[in-house]
Amino acid sequence: MSKSNQGKNLFFGALYLCTGLFPILLIASCSSVERSRTLGNPEVSANTIALQVCSNCHGPQGVSTSPIFPNLAAQQQPYLVEQLKSFKSHTRADPPASKYMWGLSMHLTDGQIEGLAAYFSSQKPAIETGVNRQSIKEGQLIFERGIAESNTPACITCHGSKAEGNQQFPRLAGQHADYI
């Protein structure tokens, strides 16, 4: 065999090996547990789920860009655990959220739920911007005094003086005004 044929064979052999191996390596790297979007795998860590799945709606640090999705950053950990368990058991009937969260939470393990709650509760709180001053004044009155006509108690009673929440009561501070 001539040197030019040996060179061609070597080149095409390497090309064949690379083109055959590349897709396998690509699939393997995208399907590793650290990069998985598979919710049915109990080996996938809560941090991976938070960054690969939850972040699509709630943002990587739990601060969503759309008021359709609540901010989870700095939310009360027990509250997040309870909400995820309620979605998983289909006992939380929040129509817009149920469409997504019932399916997403169905395969989460208790450990993953605890881990997700720990991850998001440890993030820096969101700072709500762009709310008009009149809305803030009206909201502050309701927050501090409630609405007597409808027997709505003051929000401060359950959510705390700074609206940071209290165990099973969610954080309201930094939440999208439209979401609340």
Side-chain angles (χ1 to χ4, degrees):
M1 186 182 310
S2 71
K3 280 190 172 184
S4 66
N5 282 343
Q6 283 179 333
K8 284 181 185 177
N9 287 341
L10 185 61
F11 172 77
F12 286 114
L15 181 65
Y16 178 76
L17 181 63
C18 287
T19 57
L21 218 61
F22 180 73
I24 293 168
L25 292 173
L26 182 64
I27 290 168
S29 69
C30 291
S31 65
S32 71
V33 173
E34 295 82 26
R35 296 177 183 202
S36 180
R37 291 180 183 226
T38 305
L39 295 173
N41 183 350
E43 298 298 316
V44 177
S45 74
N47 284 7
T48 297
I49 294 169
L51 294 172
Q52 297 292 331
V53 180
C54 306
S55 64
N56 291 318
C57 298
H58 299 285
Q61 279 76 46
V63 180
S64 69
T65 57
S66 170
I68 295 171
F69 308 109
N71 290 323
L72 303 180
Q75 189 56 270
Q76 294 290 316
Q77 188 170 348
Y79 175 78
L80 290 173
V81 168
E82 183 58 35
Q83 298 313 302
L84 283 169
K85 286 183 176 183
S86 294
F87 280 127
K88 181 178 179 176
S89 66
H90 298 183
T91 56
R92 179 169 171 179
D94 178 5
S98 301
K99 290 178 185 177
Y100 303 102
M101 292 302 298
W102 282 10
L104 290 173
S105 61
M106 182 171 46
H107 297 291
L108 293 175
T109 66
D110 288 344
Q112 289 169 327
I113 288 173
E114 292 285 341
L116 286 167
Y119 175 83
F120 286 113
S121 67
S122 69
Q123 301 301 310
K124 290 182 180 180
I127 299 171
E128 181 61 30
T129 59
V131 180
N132 85 34
R133 294 191 188 280
Q134 184 60 35
S135 294
I136 290 173
K137 287 179 184 178
E138 292 170 8
Q140 187 169 3
L141 284 174
I142 295 169
F143 183 80
E144 293 172 350
R145 299 182 187 160
I147 305 171
E149 302 82 46
S150 63
N151 285 334
T152 303
C155 305
I156 198 171
T157 307
C158 300
H159 300 279
S161 63
K162 295 183 181 179
E164 294 174 345
N166 182 9
Q167 299 295 321
Q168 76 268 20
F169 294 102
R171 175 186 188 88
L172 300 178
Q175 195 56 265
H176 298 291
D178 288 347
Y179 184 79
I180 294 174

